[in-house]
Amino acid sequence: MKRTTLSLFAGATALAAVTGFAAVSAPGDSGAATTEPAATLPVERTGLLCPAPSNSDLAETSYTSFTPVTKGADEKGTAALEAATAESEGEKSDKDDKDGKGEEKDDKGEKSGDKAGEPVVQPKEPGTPATGKTSGGDAPALIGTAAGSHAPGWTVQQTTEVAAGTGRGLLGLNCTAPDTEFWFPGASTATGRTDYVHLTNPDDSAAVVDIELYGKDGALKSTVGEGITVPPNSSESLLLSTLSDVEETDVTVHVGVRSGRLGAAVQALDDKTGGDWLTAAADPASDLVLPGIPEDATSVRLVLFTPGGSDADLKVRLASPSGLITPAGHETVHVKAGMTTGVDLGEITRGEAGSLVLTPTSGAVPVVAAVRVVRGKGGEQESAFIPASDPVAARATSADNRAKSTTLSVAAPDRTAKVKVTASAGTEGGTTATKTFTIKGGTTQNVEAPVPAGLEGTYALTVETVSGGPVYASRTLTGEDDDVASFTVQTLPDDRGMVSVPKAEEDLSVLQK
């Protein structure tokens, strides 16, 4: 009986380390759980999902994988990104025999696709980024798994450059963990926009999902968005305009999973202002922060939605380098229950770094939000999205950073905070570098992030909260084409590399009556 009891507790601890959370219910006087504080341990397994990058033949996509070195993590581990396909291994082999294509590498030894069923990216060790490349419009979605030393804080950046056509420019996102619910304020079914919702199922059983669209007057009529089946180990993309024939400038997309779990993202492509990925906003909350609006933004459009049955009234402020500013003419915004609200904030940053801070004017009503940002003028415009984000918390990581093309924006909306920023080694050479910054309360700073000494290739940035209030961050990556203001922005929420595991001790009385 003693051996059985210990096995149960060991199993619970292992499960907590894998899933990223754990909870213990105190059973009254039976005393099954000790009052000792929970231990914080590195996660032992992490899953990430990357959507199919583009349907353009001109697309060039890179994947960058990085795991920060984590104290207490296993000494050994693995990580790999593989194509999401429902084909059996035999079917893959037959296909490869017919087309005669095997794995290709470029002149730097980087993998260039999943031609022979091999992982697109397979990192060697934590602390050093690994890259893979693919091109064209038929690259598949990817399913990634990391275990052991590679699991805590594993981050994968997918970056695509499209030279011309609808959605041209730089498109980027952090590949996401599977979940069961997603909110995407900022999508559109208007003329000139081509938006797709991508769904990726990492499991061996089918997932069933409902997709709901909400416009300025409420839910858009649709029956085809109900009960969508996503087969095992596969990905589906759905054009939003096929889910509803109503044209709306601002649409909130809700993805709810009935069974299973999925990764979800919206690819928003515009005929005039390029395109980017719209990733899921932070869970509905009454206080929201949208960090890192580029200082040279020429247009900022805020899109909000409240999923509950009550209207929301929010105070709008911009956390600038000098403090919190209330934008003239946009002091507050009213969001009707169940309806999407869009507000054009214009050139709100006026040449300075900024983050939007939304707080309730009276009662707290949960809201989701995102901003669509445009840089450039005329035919040289490009767009990107910044959803409301969770804070950095203990640590957050950004992969695929490039010398002279990366801007790290850090906001402390409440109290002054101190953060440590570490640049990893480069993918092809370079040594780590670290800087510490103090961010004054109520401000946003574009910090001069460290760059690896002797950098070759790309590198990762890791942001850690040292002290003070909550910190929010984002990374802006700009393209190499001087003629077009191409860019993409990724928020940096906590990387969930550590998990709180409750301590437990034997108590045989719980097995007795």
Side-chain angles (χ1 to χ4, degrees):
M1 184 176 293
K2 178 179 180 181
R3 184 176 302 165
T4 301
T5 305
L6 290 173
S7 297
L8 288 171
F9 282 116
T13 302
L15 177 62
V18 170
T19 60
F21 65 89
V24 171
S25 298
D29 296 331
S30 60
T34 179
T35 57
E36 293 184 54
T40 302
L41 301 175
V43 299
E44 297 175 358
R45 188 177 179 87
T46 299
L48 293 176
L49 305 172
C50 309
S54 177
N55 58 10
S56 171
D57 292 337
L58 302 177
E60 298 289 338
T61 300
S62 64
Y63 299 92
T64 306
S65 167
F66 179 74
T67 299
V69 176
T70 303
K71 184 179 180 181
D74 291 344
E75 294 183 1
K76 297 181 179 181
T78 59
L81 283 167
E82 299 178 327
T85 173
E87 293 179 332
S88 67
E89 291 303 318
E91 289 172 328
K92 289 181 184 178
S93 178
D94 291 342
K95 183 177 180 180
D96 291 338
D97 289 342
K98 290 178 182 178
D99 61 23
K101 293 180 180 178
E103 178 187 310
E104 298 177 1
K105 292 185 179 181
D106 62 17
D107 56 3
K108 295 180 180 179
E110 295 172 324
K111 290 186 178 181
S112 56
D114 190 34
K115 305 296 184 182
E118 293 295 323
V120 176
V121 181
Q122 194 166 22
K124 292 183 178 180
E125 60 183 4
T128 302
T131 61
K133 293 182 178 180
T134 188
S135 61
D138 58 355
L142 302 180
I143 297 175
T145 303
S149 60
H150 287 273
W154 187 40
T155 300
V156 176
Q157 167 79 15
Q158 174 181 296
T159 306
T160 303
E161 294 187 63
V162 179
T166 298
R168 54 103 181 103
L170 198 64
L171 296 82
L173 85 165
N174 282 328
C175 299
T176 58
D179 208 337
T180 57
E181 186 175 43
F182 306 87
W183 291 97
F184 300 98
S188 179
T189 57
T191 301
R193 277 281 289 271
T194 307
D195 288 15
Y196 297 85
V197 58
H198 287 247
L199 308 172
T200 305
N201 179 5
D203 297 326
D204 294 331
S205 58
V208 180
V209 60
D210 295 327
I211 300 176
E212 300 167 315
L213 308 181
Y214 297 90
K216 58 182 176 59
D217 297 319
L220 303 185
K221 292 182 179 180
S222 173
T223 57
V224 294
E226 298 179 0
I228 298 171
T229 298
V230 183
N233 303 304
S234 69
S235 184
E236 301 281 350
S237 63
L238 302 167
L239 183 62
L240 292 189
S241 60
T242 64
L243 301 180
S244 175
D245 58 5
V246 180
E247 291 192 6
E248 290 274 358
T249 300
D250 301 307
V251 171
T252 298
V253 180
H254 177 235
V255 177
V257 183
R258 292 189 195 178
S259 62
R261 56 182 190 148
L262 294 168
V266 171
Q267 190 176 44
L269 310 177
D270 192 283
D271 291 345
K272 296 181 179 180
T273 59
D276 208 344
W277 288 98
L278 170 59
T279 55
D283 291 340
S286 57
D287 295 75
L288 299 174
V289 178
L290 296 79
I293 299 172
E295 58 188 8
D296 59 351
T298 54
S299 174
V300 177
R301 186 170 182 83
L302 172 64
V303 182
L304 310 101
F305 179 80
T306 174
S310 301
D311 293 1
D313 288 288
L314 299 171
K315 181 187 297 184
V316 180
R317 290 177 296 173
L318 181 74
S320 72
S322 58
L324 290 169
I325 299 172
T326 300
H330 300 292
E331 295 83 359
T332 62
V333 58
H334 179 74
V335 186
K336 294 182 179 180
M339 302 179 187
T340 298
T341 299
V343 181
D344 189 357
L345 301 177
E347 299 182 49
I348 188 173
T349 54
R350 299 186 181 278
E352 293 185 324
S355 301
L356 280 183
V357 180
L358 308 177
T359 55
T361 59
S362 53
V365 177
V367 175
V368 292
V371 292
R372 179 174 183 259
V373 179
V374 176
R375 294 176 66 236
K377 299 282 188 179
E380 300 179 359
Q381 296 181 87
E382 230 267 85
S383 56
F385 297 87
I386 305 174
S389 176
D390 291 321
V392 169
R395 180 184 66 187
T397 300
S398 167
D400 191 10
N401 294 284
R402 309 169 189 181
K404 299 181 180 180
S405 297
T406 293
T407 301
L408 179 64
S409 185
V410 184
D414 298 320
R415 294 180 288 120
T416 298
K418 181 179 289 187
V419 297
K420 181 173 74 172
V421 181
T422 302
S424 74
T427 52
E428 300 165 36
T431 57
T432 61
T434 300
K435 288 184 178 180
T436 300
F437 302 92
T438 297
I439 311 300
K440 186 179 178 181
T443 71
T444 298
Q445 306 291 336
N446 284 348
V447 301
E448 189 177 346
V451 176
L455 171 66
E456 293 185 22
T458 64
Y459 62 100
L461 286 173
T462 300
V463 181
E464 298 174 83
T465 304
V466 177
S467 62
V471 169
Y472 298 77
S474 70
R475 186 282 310 269
T476 298
L477 182 67
T478 55
E480 298 177 358
D481 188 349
D482 294 333
D483 295 331
V484 179
S486 59
F487 73 114
T488 183
V489 183
Q490 280 75 54
T491 58
L492 303 180
D494 186 83
D495 63 20
R496 300 187 298 179
M498 306 296 288
V499 59
S500 181
V501 180
K503 293 183 179 180
E505 62 183 12
E506 287 186 74
D507 187 349
L508 299 184
S509 65
V510 300
L511 303 176
Q512 299 173 347
K513 279 192 175 181

